[in-house]
Amino acid sequence: FGSHNLRSLAYAIAAASAAGIPDEGYELQLLYGMAEPVHEAVRRMGRRLRVYAPMGELVPGMAYLVRRLLENTSNESFVRHRFAEGQDLDDLLARPGRRSARGRRGRQRVRHRGRRRGAVTQRAPARGGVRVGAGRAPSYVPAPLAEWHSAGTREEMARAVEATGRSLGRVVPARIAGHDVQTDRRIFSVDPADPSRIVATSACCGASELRRAVAAAVEAFPGWSRRPMRERAEVLFGAARHLRERRFEAAALQVFEAGKAWSEADADVCEAIDYLEYYGRQALLVGGGGTVQSPPGEVNRLSYRGRGVAAVIAPWNFPLAIPTGMTAAALASGNTVVLKPAEQTPAIALMLADALREGGLPPGALSFLPGIGEEIGEALATHPAVATVVFTGSKAVGLRLNELGSHVGPAQREVRRVFAEMGGKNALVVDSDADLDVAVPAAVQSAFGFAGQRCSAASRIVVLASVHDAFVERFVEAARSLRIGPPREMGTEMGPVIDEEAVKRLRRWQERAPEFGAVLLAREDLPERGYFVGPTIVAGVGQTSEMATTEIFGPIVVVMRAPSFETAIEMANSTDYALTAGLISRSPSHIRFASEELRAGNVYINRTITGAVVGRQPFGGHGMSGFGQKAGGPDYLFQFVEPHVVTENTLRQGFAPEWLTGA
């Protein structure tokens, strides 16, 4: 039997014993120099062992060796799980699918549903009707991304894009206490790839609408907060079903209003669905209360209650996912919400309000309030009835809202909480032994995906000196080959930035780039129409320079040379931000070091540093990147609740019947 898989070897020995074959009646074969502890174990057992070495041509031989190497060094290896990760031996030896309770913890069962309309493979996670025991919730599985290799998927998305393109010019009202509201002022959202096309005309709310919206939220709070957690979770699950049924419609709208390429638009819709499903399940856990001690003669109960009205101030770069996450968490926790969408993407945000209404959310529990951020954003943060402010956007605005929210007014009955995710200046470190076939695509996607308009985007590439030149050459050519164009075309890899203001800001940085280093790439082969800015790569930038420390929020990247790995980590940590960071390396010791020392809320190894998935990579940073618990993680809902403890003395004499007390 020739294998380095311990389970296979053990099975062979057991099968031989069961068949009555003597120990000397068969032999085990292992490669010379590989898995020496296994060699020693076989010898200790007294089994026949043949140690061999392959002979022949180099390339087939290398492939053979790699195959054998992976048997015991892959991430799924028995040996890795037993010795590197310390998993229980009984669980690892159990038949697959029959793990012990401890072994099952943290694992997820995936249940498949057939292709919807021949397009996207869907997984149907359990929803509200599932029985939930104490401390348990139905399993959660993230929505799978669209499979663009499928002709059916491409055709369905193409039809949605075409239909949306024909229906531009929709009207987006405000929504207060369940009623659609129009205003005298208007906000126009346009297609960033063709600003002459108006995507939507939305209401533009002011002080009057804000007061009415908050008043409606205050009135709805007692009824909504007293609903059982399961009922609130059911609303989220219903909203998820609504969005799932309109998946490509929602993605197509993002193509036009946010300028997202097909894959990015689809991923945003999937993330919105994930937030609804995940926070619905987390609400069921929170609804079970906390664990506290109850000594004899006393019963203690710890429960969690919503804080009141939550103001959600949303960004434009993830126009459905981020407002969905913030709003769903607040609602699931028993709060009512006033949602202020980004001025650039009100039509997309309205789809969230519609989905929640279809899911059964009562009128008043959510008010939808499009308007100018400088006007109603700050007014929401200082309203005495607002108990919680949740914001995603720039550092300047986040810090301003935190400052305003900390003030206590005379009519205020709650100490207001403010949570903000504020961006980053994220670094990707390329080690001296990095596989450039991994490093270059990861850097390109991290830096230029959605034109660099992600708070998690890589804007600094720190490269070890020994591979610097080879990496830079390939990185520049890969960025040069990106297909730039209107996102409505399927093949587009990089679309426009969001608006004219962004174009002007990025152009100023491009003009100043020679002050900081050598401009290796500044593409100008751009569409004539639209808010397009080409990928820009600047090398030799000093780590403390303005260009290396200021968040630019666009497709402009600096490359820095590091003389040693330790210095590279120091360079990566040299800004005030701490959101995401990454490492491309094949060195286990360097991976361990970077995992501990990189200053970031999310550290990614040998992959892109964007694309966190709800429930898998809880997202959020520290430093000047934000404050509050990580979105899409198990702690996020606790920001929106107040703990409530009831202590009852049970050592009493007799009982008073209900008829006597008038109950």
Side-chain angles (χ1 to χ4, degrees):
F1 299 93
S3 176
H4 287 76
N5 184 291
L6 289 184
R7 184 184 291 273
S8 298
L9 292 173
Y11 188 89
I13 293 171
S17 176
I21 301 173
D23 292 347
E24 65 275 10
Y26 64 95
E27 69 179 27
L28 306 178
Q29 299 180 354
L30 298 169
L31 271 170
Y32 174 78
M34 186 175 291
E36 292 289 351
V38 179
H39 293 218
E40 182 59 31
V42 172
R43 283 195 291 267
R44 284 201 309 269
M45 294 176 67
R47 299 302 194 274
R48 294 182 61 181
L49 172 66
R50 183 179 300 274
V51 179
Y52 69 97
M55 299 179 63
E57 297 182 5
L58 177 62
V59 173
M62 289 299 294
Y64 179 82
L65 289 172
V66 167
R67 176 185 173 189
R68 292 302 183 202
L69 181 65
L70 288 176
E71 285 181 327
N72 277 331
T73 61
S74 74
N75 290 338
E76 304 304 320
S77 163
F78 177 100
V79 175
R80 178 183 181 90
H81 288 311
R82 174 70 178 110
F83 295 102
E85 300 177 6
Q87 289 193 22
D88 186 80
L89 183 60
D90 290 337
D91 286 326
L92 293 171
L93 290 175
R95 288 177 59 187
R98 295 193 179 182
R99 309 294 191 192
S100 69
R102 175 167 52 180
R104 287 195 301 269
R105 190 174 301 131
R107 295 182 175 90
Q108 299 168 333
R109 292 180 179 175
V110 179
R111 290 180 288 175
H112 294 276
R113 189 173 70 191
R115 290 179 181 272
R116 180 170 60 85
R117 293 194 294 270
V120 181
T121 300
Q122 295 285 341
R123 297 171 184 172
R127 297 192 180 85
V130 177
R131 292 183 179 179
V132 181
R136 297 176 54 206
S139 60
Y140 157 75
V141 179
L145 301 177
E147 299 173 349
W148 301 113
H149 59 80
S150 165
T153 302
R154 297 194 302 271
E155 291 168 3
E156 189 167 1
M157 182 63 176
R159 287 194 296 269
V161 169
E162 183 179 357
T164 301
R166 292 195 304 265
S167 64
L168 298 182
R170 61 189 67 190
V171 176
V172 177
R175 187 168 294 161
I176 301 172
H179 301 290
D180 288 352
V181 176
Q182 299 295 343
T183 61
D184 294 334
R185 296 190 300 167
R186 297 285 188 271
I187 295 175
F188 299 96
S189 64
V190 302
D191 179 356
D194 184 357
S196 66
R197 300 168 59 135
I198 296 176
V199 177
T201 302
S202 84
C204 182
C205 298
S208 173
E209 290 81 14
L210 185 145
R211 286 192 297 269
R212 291 164 55 197
V214 174
V218 170
E219 182 179 356
F221 172 69
W224 177 247
S225 64
R226 290 191 178 100
R227 282 201 183 189
M229 279 285 191
R230 176 178 297 283
E231 292 185 16
R232 297 203 294 263
E234 286 284 2
V235 171
L236 269 60
F237 298 146
R241 287 192 291 271
H242 180 84
L243 285 180
R244 194 176 286 111
E245 292 166 359
R246 291 156 180 79
R247 172 174 177 166
F248 288 114
E249 176 188 341
L253 184 55
Q254 295 206 34
V255 167
F256 289 98
E257 194 171 44
K260 290 203 170 198
W262 287 20
S263 59
E264 292 158 348
D266 176 73
D268 191 75
V269 179
C270 287
E271 187 175 356
I273 295 169
D274 290 345
Y275 276 126
L276 292 163
E277 297 282 3
Y278 181 77
Y279 288 146
R281 286 156 174 74
Q282 290 301 119
L284 295 173
L285 296 176
V286 173
T291 301
V292 292
Q293 294 181 346
S294 290
E298 181 179 278
V299 174
N300 296 301
R301 295 183 293 274
L302 170 62
S303 60
Y304 300 98
R305 298 179 176 180
R307 304 192 71 244
V309 178
V312 172
I313 304 174
W316 51 262
N317 62 333
F318 288 86
L320 186 60
I322 290 181
T324 297
M326 297 189 290
T327 301
L331 291 172
S333 307
N335 303 270
T336 51
V337 173
V338 177
L339 169 60
K340 189 270 170 198
E343 297 96 297
Q344 296 89 340
T345 54
I348 299 169
L350 182 62
M351 295 195 76
L352 167 61
D354 289 342
L356 288 166
R357 182 170 63 180
E358 291 298 318
L361 188 69
L366 172 68
S367 288
F368 180 74
L369 214 63
I372 305 301
E374 292 81 359
E375 296 178 9
I376 63 173
E378 294 193 359
L380 279 170
T382 56
H383 195 289
V386 171
T388 307
V389 178
V390 199
F391 168 78
T392 298
S394 71
K395 181 181 78 170
V397 175
L399 294 178
R400 173 64 175 165
L401 292 176
N402 186 50
E403 179 184 5
L404 292 171
S406 65
H407 290 261
V408 179
Q412 193 170 328
R413 300 186 63 187
E414 291 275 355
V415 176
R416 191 180 295 107
R417 294 180 185 173
V418 180
F419 309 113
E421 194 274 283
M422 303 186 300
K425 189 67 177 176
N426 311 298
L428 176 64
V429 177
V430 180
D431 202 355
S432 57
D433 66 353
D435 183 347
L436 296 189
D437 288 341
V438 174
V440 173
V444 171
Q445 177 60 29
S446 298
F448 303 123
F450 191 37
Q453 298 176 115
R454 295 187 176 108
C455 54
S456 58
S459 54
R460 296 179 298 146
I461 314 292
V462 183
V463 189
L464 271 291
S466 59
V467 294
H468 177 275
D469 293 347
F471 170 82
V472 167
E473 180 182 2
R474 292 179 59 175
F475 181 48
V476 169
E477 291 308 311
R480 196 191 307 277
S481 70
L482 286 172
R483 180 175 175 180
I484 303 173
R488 61 181 176 272
E489 298 175 3
M490 180 193 168
T492 294
E493 295 175 285
M494 182 175 145
V497 296
I498 191 63
D499 55 24
E500 186 176 7
E501 180 182 347
V503 172
K504 292 178 179 177
R505 173 175 49 81
L506 293 167
R507 290 295 185 189
R508 287 195 294 269
W509 277 109
Q510 288 180 324
E511 291 168 2
R512 294 185 59 197
E515 302 173 18
F516 302 100
V519 179
L520 304 182
L521 178 69
R523 286 185 59 179
E524 294 295 341
D525 53 327
L526 308 173
E528 294 182 2
R529 288 184 176 182
Y531 301 132
F532 288 91
V533 176
T536 302
I537 301 173
V538 187
V541 177
Q543 72 179 72
T544 60
S545 69
E546 185 182 1
M547 195 168 206
T549 56
T550 304
E551 185 179 32
I552 296 176
F553 214 69
I556 299 177
V557 179
V558 301
V559 180
M560 300 182 284
R561 185 191 301 261
S564 68
F565 183 74
E566 291 74 15
T567 303
I569 299 300
E570 291 176 5
M571 294 169 70
N573 291 339
S574 63
T575 73
D576 295 334
Y577 295 97
L579 186 56
T580 66
L583 170 69
I584 309 296
S585 175
R586 289 186 281 197
S587 166
S589 63
H590 285 184
I591 290 173
R592 287 193 298 270
F593 184 82
S595 299
E596 294 293 329
E597 299 299 329
L598 277 173
R599 182 174 177 265
N602 289 68
V603 175
Y604 299 96
I605 308 297
N606 289 324
R607 52 152 285 174
T608 63
I609 67 172
T610 61
V613 177
V614 174
R616 293 180 180 174
Q617 296 101 20
F619 185 78
H622 46 274
M624 287 299 167
S625 287
F627 42 93
Q629 297 297 332
K630 294 168 81 66
D635 306 316
Y636 192 70
L637 263 60
F638 289 101
Q639 301 175 122
F640 298 90
V641 296
E642 299 285 6
H644 182 72
V645 176
V646 174
T647 299
E648 180 182 358
N649 174 22
T650 58
L651 293 178
R652 57 188 175 221
Q653 299 296 319
F655 296 91
E658 293 183 354
W659 61 265
L660 183 63
T661 61

